Amino acid sequence: TVSILTSQEKPSDGKPAPHREWKQTIVPVSKGSEGFDVSPDGKWLWTAAAGDGSIAIIDLDNNKVSSTIDAKILGANRLVFTPDGKRVLVSSLRAGDLFVFDVASHKEVKRIHIGSGAAGIIVDPDGSRAFVGCSPDNYVAVVDLKKMEMIGQINVGGTPDGLAWTVIP
């Protein structure tokens, strides 16, 4: 299941309101759903299930599954939208691949082998590259999203997984 929390407060001045009251909605999806992300327009939540390799697409206006993709990504671990919202990237710990899906068609457009196991994913703000933690290999794969290929690796040691951007002033 996926648990969706929404604030019941609506700001009147356009500024974010403090979250004091929440509504929780449980949406049944496949077992082992771990990787998930909300589309840049805030309308869809995509979640990938490690067990059966499916991707559930949840309509956030209705908090219901609108469709399910039989993606066959066994060991699906993380899922992230590109900044433009046109692609979804899914990593597989089992296959060591990065799967690229077209959001509009819900079809796989590319499978990129990046190592022994693919974990955390982050896309740079301009959408040109993805970085994927390859935990068993102790590196972060660098993927060119225009060429749709791995172009390098950053040896980091320590089984990399979760990744984040930071700006240093």
Side-chain angles (χ1 to χ4, degrees):
T1 61
V2 171
S3 178
I4 299 172
L5 294 174
T6 53
S7 174
Q8 300 303 300
E9 299 179 38
K10 303 291 182 196
S12 59
D13 60 1
K15 295 179 183 175
H19 301 295
R20 294 188 187 108
E21 294 185 33
W22 293 90
K23 177 183 174 194
Q24 179 181 22
T25 304
I26 304 295
V27 180
V29 294
S30 295
K31 286 186 177 182
S33 290
E34 181 178 351
F36 64 93
D37 197 10
V38 174
S39 61
D41 64 8
K43 294 182 179 185
W44 307 99
L45 183 141
W46 285 42
T47 181
D52 67 6
S54 66
I55 298 172
I57 301 170
I58 299 168
D59 175 348
L60 291 176
D61 286 337
N62 298 307
N63 289 336
K64 293 183 180 177
V65 174
S66 68
S67 61
T68 301
I69 301 169
D70 184 15
K72 296 179 177 49
I73 306 174
L74 299 179
N77 182 253
R78 302 288 188 264
L79 180 148
V80 66
F81 278 87
T82 56
D84 63 7
K86 294 181 179 181
R87 300 273 168 89
V88 163
L89 311 177
V90 183
S91 62
S92 168
L93 281 172
R94 190 178 295 179
D97 293 336
L98 180 68
F99 296 78
V100 182
F101 281 82
D102 177 76
V103 170
S105 69
H106 297 175
K107 301 289 184 196
E108 180 183 323
V109 294
K110 186 75 174 182
R111 184 178 304 192
I112 305 164
H113 187 70
I114 58 163
S116 300
I121 309 168
I122 194 159
V123 179
D124 65 9
D126 69 6
S128 64
R129 295 175 298 171
F131 299 86
V132 184
C134 297
S135 301
D137 299 322
N138 296 318
Y139 65 76
V140 173
V142 181
V143 177
D144 182 317
L145 293 176
K146 292 185 188 344
K147 295 179 181 178
M148 295 286 198
E149 63 185 38
M150 184 172 140
I151 58 170
Q153 62 188 36
I154 303 166
N155 294 315
V156 296
T159 61
D161 187 352
L163 304 173
W165 283 111
T166 187
V167 176
I168 300 173

